[in-house]
């Protein structure tokens, strides 16, 4: 087996699949990438048994087709450090792969391709097309609310839901909730809900660019797959029931505050500097004409910020984890935000000023 291709053509698919390579696996082969040469095409596959990434490159084939697995980290480091215009030639010799370019030569040990695990074949029972920018927006708008290593394992991921013309993403860690929806009249989808694990969601964000190119999404009983012209990404799903988040959406909010997002974000960021490092609590006093934000910490240090608002209701004082509110303000793309609140013990609903595409619920904190 022998083939050649330029560094540029190899580096992009290598970087694409490297996210699925298992770093600390007890199975050595999961640290390798499967190279499959067929005619003028090269397919690269990496997996950690939960995720599978496949990417493609065109090659200058000089010998018979074949498969081989090559250590991912070492190959990537070699490729990155070579000059831009390098032409690489790969030649397998028993269980060694020889890589040569110019006056540089490398020999890497390989493992048998027959030992490389394949995610089993499956059929997607729900499939749809979205623009990459739409799918990225759907996931980026909510991913920060996913739990991380929670014992309630079904929270360590994101719920992706389809229904009629709508696709929704929902994430919660029990203290906050994020929902984003995209409507497309061209879609006619069955009602379906799957939970994509946290690692899969973070990998999708890494793979997608905010461009107006389409991708295919397939939902199966145990997997989600995203197919693009450059790659195919597959992730196992979390086997569990996502909580019925509609039951926790606050319905009693009767006080609305509209504010400039950037101004609010700046004062909250400054106040957070002196909040308790562990709990990140800040107090928000909503008055008729001003919002006073205070924070203090065990060292008896204190921050106070005041911002002008229009709030024609009785005064309300609520404590929040400031990180949760800042995450929401960073996710909202619009210039203005809308807070809907009831009293000091009720969760607040935060939305963008105009679109209503995404909705966030943050629970109050006792301070």
């Amino acid at each position: 087996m022998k083939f050649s291709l330029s560094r540029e053509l190899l580096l992009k698919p290598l970087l694409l699949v490297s996210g699925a390579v298992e770093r600390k696996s007890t199975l050595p082969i999961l640290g390798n990438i499967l190279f499959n040469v067929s005619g003028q095409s090269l397919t690269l596959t990496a997996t950690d048994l939960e995720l599978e990434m496949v990417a493609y490159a065109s090659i200058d084939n000089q010998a018979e087709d074949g498969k081989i697995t090559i250590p991912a980290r070492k190959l990537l480091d070699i490729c990155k450090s070579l000059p831009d215009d390098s032409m690489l030639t790969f030649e397998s010799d028993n269980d060694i792969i020889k890589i040569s370019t110019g006056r540089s030569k490398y020999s890497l040990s390989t493992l048998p391709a027959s030992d490389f695990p394949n995610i089993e074949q499956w059929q997607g029972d729900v499939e749809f097309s979205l623009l990459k920018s739409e799918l990225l927006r759907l996931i980026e708008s909510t991913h920060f609310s996913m739990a991380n290593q929670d014992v309630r394992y079904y929270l360590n991921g994101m719920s992706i839901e389809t229904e009629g013309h709508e696709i929704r993403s929902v994430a919660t860690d029990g203290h906050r909730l994020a929902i984003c929806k995209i409507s497309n009249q061209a879609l006619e989808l069955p009602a379906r809900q799957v939970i994509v694990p946290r690692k899969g969601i973070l990998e999708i964000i890494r793979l997608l660019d905010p461009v107006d190119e389409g991708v295919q999404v397939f939902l199966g009983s145990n997997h989600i797959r995203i197919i693009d012209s450059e790659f195919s990404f597959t992730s196992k799903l979390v086997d569990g029931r996502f909580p019925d988040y509609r039951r926790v959406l606050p319905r009693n909010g009767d006080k609305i505050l509209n504010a400039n997002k950037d101004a609010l974000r700046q004062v909250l960021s400054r106040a957070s500097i002196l909040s308790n490092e562990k709990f990140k609590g800040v107090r928000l006093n909503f008055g008729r004409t001003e919002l006073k934000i205070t924070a203090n910490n065990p060292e008896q240090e204190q921050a106070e910020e005041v911002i002008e608002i229009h709030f024609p209701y009785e005064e309300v004082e609520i404590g929040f984890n400031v990180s949760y509110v800042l995450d929401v303000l960073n996710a909202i793309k619009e210039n203005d935000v809308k807070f809907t609140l009831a009293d000091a013990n009720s969760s607040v609903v935060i939305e963008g000023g105009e679109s209503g595409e995404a909705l966030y619920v943050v629970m109050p904190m006792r301070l």
Side-chain angles (χ1 to χ4, degrees):
M1 177 179 158
K2 184 177 179 182
F3 61 93
S4 302
L5 77 168
S6 69
R7 171 188 179 270
E8 291 305 302
L9 285 178
L10 179 61
L11 193 56
K12 189 165 186 184
L14 256 187
L15 287 167
L16 278 175
V17 301
S18 63
V21 174
E22 187 56 74
R23 300 278 188 275
K24 311 185 198 67
S25 175
T26 50
L27 283 172
I29 197 142
L30 297 184
N32 283 19
I33 291 173
L34 175 68
F35 278 60
N36 184 357
V37 174
S38 176
Q40 299 278 287
S41 67
L42 168 66
T43 305
L44 286 73
T45 308
T47 183
D48 64 0
L49 301 180
E50 297 293 319
L51 308 180
E52 181 185 77
M53 268 301 306
V54 182
Y56 314 98
S58 299
I59 54 168
D60 195 4
N61 197 1
Q62 302 160 345
E64 77 278 3
D65 299 346
K67 294 182 180 180
I68 197 162
T69 78
I70 305 176
R73 181 56 43 203
K74 291 171 186 168
L75 180 60
L76 189 56
D77 288 347
I78 290 168
C79 271
K80 281 181 176 173
S81 57
L82 286 169
D84 288 354
D85 56 353
S86 302
M87 192 73 184
L88 285 78
T89 299
F90 290 73
E91 190 169 2
S92 64
D93 181 7
N94 295 323
D95 50 5
I96 296 286
I97 186 97
K98 294 177 177 173
I99 308 166
S100 54
T101 172
R103 302 180 73 172
S104 308
K105 290 186 174 64
Y106 303 90
S107 295
L108 294 176
S109 58
T110 65
L111 290 168
S114 55
D115 294 349
F116 195 82
N118 264 337
I119 286 186
E120 69 270 19
Q121 291 300 311
W122 56 278
Q123 283 295 311
D125 46 17
V126 177
E127 54 183 272
F128 54 89
S129 289
L130 270 184
L131 295 177
K132 285 185 188 177
S133 53
E134 288 180 322
L135 183 56
L136 190 59
R137 194 166 76 237
L138 195 68
I139 289 173
E140 282 193 327
S141 296
T142 57
H143 80 282
F144 55 85
S145 291
M146 292 187 294
N148 190 7
Q149 297 181 326
D150 196 297
V151 290
R152 297 164 294 180
Y153 63 94
Y154 48 82
L155 298 184
N156 300 321
M158 182 182 291
S159 174
I160 303 286
E161 304 170 13
T162 60
E163 191 175 3
H165 305 308
E166 224 173 64
I167 303 161
R168 285 185 297 276
S169 65
V170 188
T172 180
D173 60 7
H175 304 288
R176 51 181 169 172
L177 169 69
I179 305 168
C180 182
K181 61 174 188 275
I182 283 180
S183 294
N184 185 336
Q185 295 306 312
L187 295 172
E188 268 304 334
L189 296 167
R192 187 72 199 281
Q193 181 182 46
V194 300
I195 307 174
V196 184
R198 181 186 176 85
K199 183 174 180 182
I201 290 294
L202 298 178
E203 191 59 23
I204 293 169
I205 292 174
R206 188 182 77 89
L207 290 171
L208 294 175
D209 296 315
V211 292
D212 290 345
E213 292 172 13
V215 284
Q216 290 285 114
V217 182
F218 299 86
L219 305 179
S221 51
N222 300 311
H223 297 88
I224 181 172
R225 178 167 286 165
I226 297 171
I227 295 182
D228 172 47
S229 57
E230 294 184 333
F231 66 83
S232 164
F233 164 85
T234 308
S235 169
K236 283 188 177 174
L237 299 173
V238 177
D239 184 14
R241 273 185 71 80
F242 202 74
D244 182 3
Y245 56 89
R246 291 177 180 86
R247 286 193 11 242
V248 301
L249 289 175
R251 306 252 186 264
N252 59 343
D254 55 0
K255 302 175 184 69
I256 291 174
L257 166 70
N258 289 295
N260 178 277
K261 180 189 71 178
D262 289 334
L264 193 57
R265 184 169 56 189
Q266 285 166 13
V267 292
L268 283 169
S269 296
R270 291 199 296 266
S272 73
I273 296 166
L274 297 186
S275 65
N276 183 316
E277 282 184 15
K278 189 174 179 189
F279 302 110
K280 286 288 180 190
V282 296
R283 206 182 298 273
L284 277 67
N285 285 76
F286 294 85
R288 287 179 176 272
T289 58
E290 61 181 36
L291 168 61
K292 188 162 86 171
I293 297 159
T294 51
N296 49 42
N297 59 29
E299 288 85 53
Q300 306 299 315
E301 297 165 336
Q302 187 167 347
E304 183 177 299
E305 291 277 354
V306 177
I307 185 171
E308 285 184 18
I309 58 169
H310 175 63
F311 191 72
Y313 314 97
E314 63 195 62
E315 291 192 3
V316 184
E317 181 180 296
I318 312 185
F320 287 115
N321 180 323
V322 68
S323 302
Y324 294 171
V325 182
L326 286 170
D327 281 346
V328 170
L329 295 180
N330 287 327
I332 289 173
K333 299 291 184 277
E334 289 141 72
N335 293 326
D336 294 316
V337 289
K338 183 172 90 172
F339 282 63
T340 307
L341 47 136
D343 54 49
N345 301 314
S346 300
S347 298
V348 65
V349 177
I350 310 174
E351 298 166 87
E354 293 104 45
S355 74
E357 191 176 78
L359 178 145
Y360 303 93
V361 179
V362 180
M363 284 174 66
M365 230 179 133
R366 285 213 169 86
L367 291 173

